Every structure is written in structure tokens, then in C-alpha cells.
């Protein structure tokens, strides 16, 4: 997300992704906000949100659970989510949106984070959320929530595999290995933290994730990722502290057989 040519304070930053589907077509409505108290808004032309779609097709897969939960307040958990059993092969939430806003005007940014967790209890589970935005003068967001998806599978699930990468902050290509060749893979953001070096600053551009991914051309059990990182910048050359900024990613692979 970016203001465009100039940097500004932050009053509110948010992302909402609302999917809908009919027959074999899935659509998503994306709303992103970056707002200060002086009427400066997000530059829509230069701001980008990368979307992936994971769907059950044909007959229902009783070994797999997909769920979405919106508006999980920071420090709380979602309602119970039905799971495909009490012994899980994988279960990871992904960020589907967030909302952070200062109540007392706009401010500089020191640190912004969105983090998701998951815990299961028998055949149900809950997603936990932590979202925060602070400056260096003691101001913190009063609106703090996250939207999440969950992908969970039991040990009989053969149509999906999953690998988790934590604390990623690099511009170098990375290779992620799976146990078998894949026909497709997608990457979800599980959470991120972005922190300015030294103190707080205006914001020009802020974001997290990876810039792209592909299957290895000669070994499709490997997924190649680029630029897995969290970043922020102002208009004076100030950028993120790479020792205190990172992104957590979930790579979901679909085996070819």
C-alpha cells in the first residue's frame, strides 16, 4: 500500500477481501485503505494486493477443512471452527485482511504487526489474532482486528500439502521442498511485523509478503519464492529495520498425483 508520490501520517490502514462464488467461478472484492487526518488517501493505481484461491471442487473432501473468519479482535479468538478430526496433519491460518486505526488523530509509524495463531481442541479449533500499530510517543491503535482463513487437513488428506516459513526477511530467492511433485502451489501470508529503524516516521509505502513464486522447472517438488519480506519507507530514505521486520508464509502445495 502506498500514498503515492509523498509520505504522510497514518490515521487508518486496513485491508478487506470478500469472496463470492457461483458454479465454477470465484470472485473477490478487495478494499484497501491508507488514510491520514488531512484527506490524503491510498494511491489505488500504485497499491497492489496479491490474491490466491483455494477451493474444494466436485465432491466435498471430508479430510479437509476450509474456513473464513472476519473481525477477530486483537488478543481474542474466533468462534469454534469444525475440523476434519482431532488428529491433524496440518492446520494454518492465513491473513485475509486487517483493520488498524488511531482514535486520537493521525501519527507517525514506529511499528505495525498482524499475527495469527491456531489451537485445536478435539474436533474444533480457534484462530487467535494479534494486530497492533504504534508510534514512538506512546500512541497506539484503538481499532485492532484481523480477518483470517484456515486450511486444515487430517492424516488421510492426500490432495494438499503444507510448509510453513517463519521470520522471513530477504530479497534473495528461496527454495521450499515438498515430499512429492506438485501440480500447483500458492503462498499465503500468516503474519508480518514491520518496524522503522531508530524511531517513528511518516509513511510512503508499506507492505509484506513475497513478490512471486513458481514451481521448479526440473523438480516440481520444489517451490521457488522471491522477496519474502516486510517493508516500509518514507520520502526521506528511512526504511524498515531488517532485524525487527519479517513475514511468516504458508506454502500450500497440490500434489500432481
Amino acid at each position: 500500500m502506498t500514498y503515492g508520490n509523498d509520505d504522510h501520517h497514518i490515521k487508518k490502514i486496513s485491508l478487506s477481501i470478500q469472496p463470492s462464488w457461483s458454479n465454477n467461478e470465484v470472485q473477490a472484492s478487495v478494499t484497501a485503505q491508507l488514510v491520514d487526518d488531512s484527506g490524503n488517501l491510498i494511491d489505488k493505481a500504485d497499491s497492489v494486493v496479491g490474491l490466491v484461491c483455494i477451493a474444494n471442487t466436485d465432491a466435498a473432501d471430508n479430510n479437509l477443512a476450509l474456513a473464513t473468519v472476519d473481525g477477530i479482535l486483537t488478543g481474542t479468538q474466533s468462534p469454534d471452527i469444525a475440523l476434519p478430526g482431532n488428529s491433524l496433519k496440518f492446520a494454518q491460518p492465513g491473513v485475509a485482511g486487517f483493520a488498524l486505526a488511531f482514535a486520537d488523530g493521525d501519527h507517525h509509524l514506529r511499528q505495525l504487526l498482524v499475527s495469527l495463531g491456531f489451537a485445536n481442541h478435539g474436533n474444533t479449533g480457534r484462530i487467535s489474532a494479534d494486530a497492533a500499530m504504534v508510534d514512538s510517543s506512546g500512541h497506539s491503535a484503538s481499532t485492532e482486528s484481523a480477518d483470517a482463513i484456515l486450511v486444515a487437513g487430517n492424516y488421510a488428506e492426500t490432495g494438499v500439502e503444507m510448509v510453513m516459513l517463519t521470520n522471513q526477511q530477504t530479497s534473495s530467492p528461496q527454495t521450499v521442498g515438498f515430499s512429492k511433485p506438485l501440480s500447483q502451489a500458492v503462498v499465503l501470508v500468516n503474519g508480518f511485523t514491520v518496524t522503522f529503524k531508530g524511531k517513528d516516521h511518516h509513511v510512503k509505502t508499506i507492505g509484506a509478503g513475497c513478490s512471486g513464486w513458481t514451481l521448479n522447472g526440473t523438480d516440481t517438488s520444489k517451490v521457488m519464492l522471491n522477496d519474502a519480506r516486510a517493508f516500509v519507507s518514507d520520502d526521506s530514505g528511512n526504511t524498515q529495520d531488517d532485524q525487527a521486520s519479517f513475514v511468516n508464509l504458508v506454502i500450500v502445495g497440490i500434489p500432481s498425483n
Side-chain angles (χ1 to χ4, degrees):
M1 300 182 192
T2 181
Y3 280 117
N5 293 329
D6 298 312
D7 56 13
H8 301 286
H9 289 74
I10 286 184
K11 167 69 173 179
K12 179 179 182 180
I13 181 171
S14 67
L15 172 66
S16 175
I17 303 169
Q18 297 300 322
S20 61
W21 61 90
S22 177
N23 297 320
N24 64 337
E25 183 177 87
V26 177
Q27 296 181 332
S29 175
V30 179
T31 303
Q33 292 180 297
L34 181 61
V35 183
D36 70 2
D37 238 2
S38 301
N40 296 294
L41 304 174
I42 190 171
D43 185 327
K44 294 181 180 180
D46 285 339
S47 298
V48 178
V49 178
L51 300 179
V52 301
C53 176
I54 302 174
N56 270 334
T57 59
D58 298 324
D61 185 347
N62 294 325
N63 299 316
L64 183 70
L66 303 176
T68 61
V69 184
D70 291 342
I72 307 172
L73 298 178
T74 192
T76 71
Q77 296 180 327
S78 71
D80 286 338
I81 300 170
L83 302 174
N86 57 16
S87 181
L88 299 177
K89 181 180 180 181
F90 56 80
Q92 291 291 347
V95 175
F98 57 89
L100 291 160
F102 290 114
D104 54 350
D106 55 12
H107 300 286
H108 288 168
L109 179 69
R110 166 60 177 159
Q111 185 180 73
L112 186 152
L113 66 88
V114 178
S115 177
L116 299 175
F118 176 78
N120 66 301
H121 307 280
N123 292 329
T124 64
R126 293 182 179 182
I127 301 171
S128 58
D130 185 15
M133 179 171 64
V134 299
D135 67 4
S136 294
S137 302
H139 301 102
S140 60
S142 60
T143 299
E144 301 171 325
S145 68
D147 305 336
I149 68 166
L150 178 71
V151 183
N154 60 30
Y155 282 90
E157 173 58 42
T158 59
V160 174
E161 290 197 359
M162 188 175 291
V163 174
M164 179 80 172
L165 290 180
T166 60
N167 301 327
Q168 300 299 299
Q169 188 67 13
T170 180
S171 58
S172 300
Q174 293 172 275
T175 300
V176 179
F178 284 77
S179 66
K180 60 184 70 174
L182 305 178
S183 62
Q184 182 60 275
V186 297
V187 179
L188 309 176
V189 174
N190 169 265
F192 63 91
T193 296
V194 59
T195 310
F196 265 119
K197 295 178 182 177
K199 61 177 184 178
D200 56 13
H201 298 283
H202 288 78
V203 170
K204 179 179 180 180
T205 298
I206 186 170
C210 68
S211 62
W213 62 88
T214 59
L215 296 182
N216 185 296
T218 58
D219 183 356
T220 58
S221 68
K222 297 178 180 178
V223 180
M224 317 297 291
L225 275 67
N226 296 316
D227 301 316
R229 61 193 184 99
F231 54 90
V232 66
S233 65
D234 67 3
D235 217 12
S236 302
N238 297 295
T239 61
Q240 73 280 347
D241 180 349
D242 284 332
Q243 302 304 310
S245 302
F246 60 87
V247 63
N248 297 330
L249 301 174
V250 179
I251 300 90
V252 182
I254 308 300
S256 55
N257 294 313

